Amino acid sequence: MLSGATEDYLKTIFSLTRDSGRAGTKDIATKLGVSQASVTGYLQRLAGAELPLIDYRKREGAALTEEGRRKALRVIRNHRLLETFLHRMLGFSWDRVHDEACRLEHVISAEFEEKLDALLGYPTHDPHGDPIPGRDLDMPINSRIALAELEPGEEAVVDRVSDSDPELLSYLGKHAILPGTRLTVKAVSPFDRNMKLCVEKKRGTIVLGPLVTRQIFVERNA
Amino acid sequence: MLSGATEDYLKTIFSLTRDSGRAGTKDIATKLGVSQASVTGYLQRLAGAELPLIDYRKREGAALTEEGRRKALRVIRNHRLLETFLHRMLGFSWDRVHDEACRLEHVISAEFEEKLDALLGYPTHDPHGDPIPGRDLDMPINSRIALAELEPGEEAVVDRVSDSDPELLSYLGKHAILPGTRLTVKAVSPFDRNMKLCVEKKRGTIVLGPLVTRQIFVERNA
DNA sequence: CAATGTACTTAGGATAGACTAACTTCGCTG
DNA sequence: CAGCGAAGTTAGTCTATCCTAAGTACATTG
Ligand SMILES: [Mn+2]
Ligand SMILES: [Mn+2]
Ligand SMILES: [Mn+2]
Ligand SMILES: [Mn+2]
């Protein structure tokens, strides 16, 4: 069995290799909150195992092997199922589910995973709008269009929100900006890129800076 | 924060000190599945901490301090709430809940504990009939009367069943012997102490040996 | 009361995972 | 092209938790 530490490394490498093909030591260290030296050591060990979970090249960072990818997706599936459970059944607010799920994801059995999936009605997305890999571990692509990219006049529906910052989630939750929320871009100020938005249902407007609008991903038009 | 290992030591010492006042190295080692040497070392460390969780005396074993007792009860509460959840909401059979709960119990937050308690409707007993310590951590006494102690002709209701052996639980489950089941002792054979029982509802009889009847605890008469 | 067996402890060591301090690489810039 | 800084690596440690092998203590018993 994999340790919790290994599973968190795999998850992190998975998410960092979505964009760039490889995950760098520094970025992994930052995401996991450990030192760069620790990461170097850990990557070397993971790559040197019998059935390696990652492909590591000195000074070029790490990528997942096929086996590593499967393991990563399993953990991500657990994580998102758990987040969904915590939010929907236990009533955790969406900014409190991440840490709890990040601990639980390493200790639940396959039986737990299956039964939870069934209890929740086979959900396809977690509370932040991220897709939940299916039992076969394939995962739909989610939106890569940041709200920040839209022009004045465009309409969009929130697809997902970055779940890494609880403060941000809490803030957005208060303003009813969550997956499914319809938005209209009223104006974008030059230089600072502040965006004035009309939020449907809330029937109000809000101004968000680029640090925020880059963390919100949308489907255009819809 | 306490490690999972420490929490399992505390739980084990708690249960072993119910009968005898102190828990011996050997018994702890057996229950936890580690070597005696490991236990000695661990106890020494626990007892030598700033705020010690146990009182350890060379060659006399360990007992919990007041602080250790509180910590142990918290873990036991988590364990039993989780078992109840696994059984009632996820549909785990009662012989599969223990191991899962023993891993989960160390990673759930106080918030999770509270919300789970509420979701379950503040249950007082786990699927095996063991009492769940309340939020204030006091725990009702449970039955100490083993079915094996009853005489022919006596009637009783099952209060709880030892949850340590999944095989036993599975067997008893198949024969509808679980908390709440009413039993009548039809006969006890001499020498081997086999017990012929009438199981209510099942409307049938079953013969159980002493290895089994010593693991079932009952309320007389009821 | 000496022999013995069981419970217990000590000594020495392994492994996982993390840290700091001190290099090394290497692309970029002046 | 020399030098700088960021990213990465190495070396040396540390703690938690476990192990095996080799003793020690003590109650029991012949
Ligand atoms: Mn995690
Ligand atoms: Mn999420
Ligand atoms: Mn446990
Ligand atoms: Mn139980």
Side-chain angles (χ1 to χ4, degrees):
Chain A
M1 222 348 64
L2 302 182
S3 71
T6 296
E7 292 185 336
D8 281 339
Y9 272 93
L10 294 179
K11 243 185 16 171
T12 301
I13 295 166
F14 181 90
S15 80
L16 288 173
T17 47
R18 300 247 71 174
D19 322 292
S20 36
R22 311 204 127 242
T25 307
K26 172 85 175 318
D27 291 344
I28 298 171
T30 305
K31 268 229 187 195
L32 288 176
V34 299
S35 73
Q36 285 188 54
S38 300
V39 172
T40 299
Y42 212 104
L43 295 182
Q44 289 170 344
R45 195 151 55 73
L46 280 183
E50 345 63 54
L51 199 159
L53 298 169
I54 66 166
D55 165 43
Y56 166 69
R57 297 193 220 129
K58 223 182 238 191
R59 295 199 143 82
E60 290 179 53
L64 296 175
T65 61
E66 191 44 39
E67 185 57 16
R69 205 183 101 88
R70 262 194 298 275
K71 294 285 164 61
L73 280 165
R74 176 118 268 140
V75 183
I76 290 166
R77 173 168 158 81
N78 285 351
H79 183 94
R80 294 182 182 169
L81 282 174
L82 285 163
E83 282 192 345
T84 305
F85 163 72
L86 293 169
H87 186 61
R88 299 217 309 228
M89 314 223 34
L90 286 192
F92 272 77
S93 66
W94 78 337
D95 55 312
R96 307 292 292 282
V97 297
H98 182 85
D99 291 356
E100 194 85 33
C102 196
R103 275 175 281 117
L104 288 161
E105 65 193 359
H106 311 294
V107 301
I108 70 174
S109 63
E111 186 176 2
F112 186 112
E113 170 209 316
E114 272 166 40
K115 287 177 158 152
L116 184 62
D117 196 19
L119 178 68
L120 295 171
Y122 308 99
T124 58
H125 295 270
D126 81 2
H128 313 105
D130 286 305
I132 301 174
R135 231 176 340 323
D136 48 8
L137 297 184
D138 59 34
M139 183 159 62
I141 306 300
N142 48 19
S143 173
R144 315 247 83 211
I145 307 166
L147 177 55
E149 294 168 33
L150 299 200
E151 302 294 325
E154 287 195 278
E155 287 185 31
V157 172
V158 175
D159 179 59
R160 64 190 175 92
V161 174
S162 164
D163 65 352
S164 50
D165 181 0
E167 304 282 337
L168 176 67
L169 288 173
S170 166
Y171 174 65
L172 293 177
K174 275 196 201 82
H175 294 286
I177 296 179
L178 30 93
T181 299
R182 191 178 299 268
L183 302 171
T184 311
V185 181
K186 289 303 191 188
V188 179
S189 63
F191 307 112
D192 57 14
R193 311 294 308 166
N194 279 337
M195 196 173 256
K196 184 172 178 185
L197 296 158
C198 178
V199 182
E200 187 215 33
K201 270 176 190 153
K202 221 11 182 36
R203 266 274 35 109
T205 64
I206 186 176
V207 176
L208 298 177
L211 261 51
V212 175
T213 54
R214 272 199 294 265
Q215 304 299 316
I216 299 169
F217 299 88
V218 299
E219 295 295 358
R220 267 199 180 89
N221 202 14
Chain B
M1 222 348 65
L2 302 182
S3 71
T6 296
E7 292 185 337
D8 281 339
Y9 271 94
L10 294 178
K11 244 187 11 174
T12 301
I13 294 166
F14 182 90
S15 79
L16 288 173
T17 47
R18 300 247 70 174
D19 323 292
S20 37
R22 309 204 129 243
T25 307
K26 171 87 175 317
D27 291 345
I28 298 172
T30 305
K31 267 228 187 195
L32 288 176
V34 299
S35 73
Q36 286 188 54
S38 300
V39 172
T40 299
Y42 211 105
L43 296 182
Q44 288 171 343
R45 196 153 54 73
L46 280 183
E50 345 64 53
L51 199 159
L53 299 169
I54 66 167
D55 165 43
Y56 166 70
R57 297 191 221 130
K58 223 182 237 192
R59 296 201 140 82
E60 290 179 53
L64 296 175
T65 60
E66 192 42 39
E67 185 58 16
R69 205 184 101 88
R70 262 194 299 275
K71 294 284 163 63
L73 281 167
R74 177 118 267 140
V75 184
I76 289 166
R77 173 168 157 81
N78 285 351
H79 183 94
R80 294 181 182 169
L81 282 175
L82 284 162
E83 282 192 345
T84 305
F85 163 72
L86 293 169
H87 185 62
R88 298 216 311 228
M89 315 225 30
L90 286 192
F92 272 77
S93 65
W94 77 338
D95 55 311
R96 307 291 292 282
V97 298
H98 182 85
D99 291 356
E100 195 85 34
C102 196
R103 276 176 280 117
L104 288 161
E105 66 193 0
H106 312 293
V107 301
I108 69 173
S109 64
E111 186 176 1
F112 186 112
E113 170 210 318
E114 271 165 41
K115 287 177 159 153
L116 184 62
D117 196 20
L119 178 67
L120 295 170
Y122 309 99
T124 58
H125 295 269
D126 81 3
H128 314 104
D130 285 304
I132 301 173
R135 226 165 358 312
D136 47 8
L137 296 184
D138 59 35
M139 183 161 60
I141 308 299
N142 49 19
S143 173
R144 315 248 82 210
I145 308 166
L147 176 55
E149 294 168 34
L150 298 201
E151 302 295 325
E154 286 196 281
E155 288 185 30
V157 172
V158 176
D159 179 59
R160 65 190 175 93
V161 175
S162 165
D163 66 350
S164 50
D165 182 0
E167 304 282 337
L168 176 66
L169 288 173
S170 166
Y171 174 65
L172 293 177
K174 275 197 201 81
H175 294 286
I177 296 179
L178 31 94
T181 300
R182 190 178 300 268
L183 303 171
T184 311
V185 181
K186 289 303 190 188
V188 179
S189 63
F191 306 111
D192 58 13
R193 310 294 308 164
N194 280 338
M195 195 173 258
K196 185 172 177 186
L197 296 159
C198 177
V199 182
E200 188 216 31
K201 271 176 189 153
K202 220 13 181 31
R203 267 270 42 104
T205 65
I206 185 176
V207 176
L208 298 178
L211 261 51
V212 175
T213 54
R214 273 199 294 266
Q215 304 299 315
I216 300 170
F217 299 88
V218 300
E219 295 296 358
R220 267 198 180 89
N221 202 16

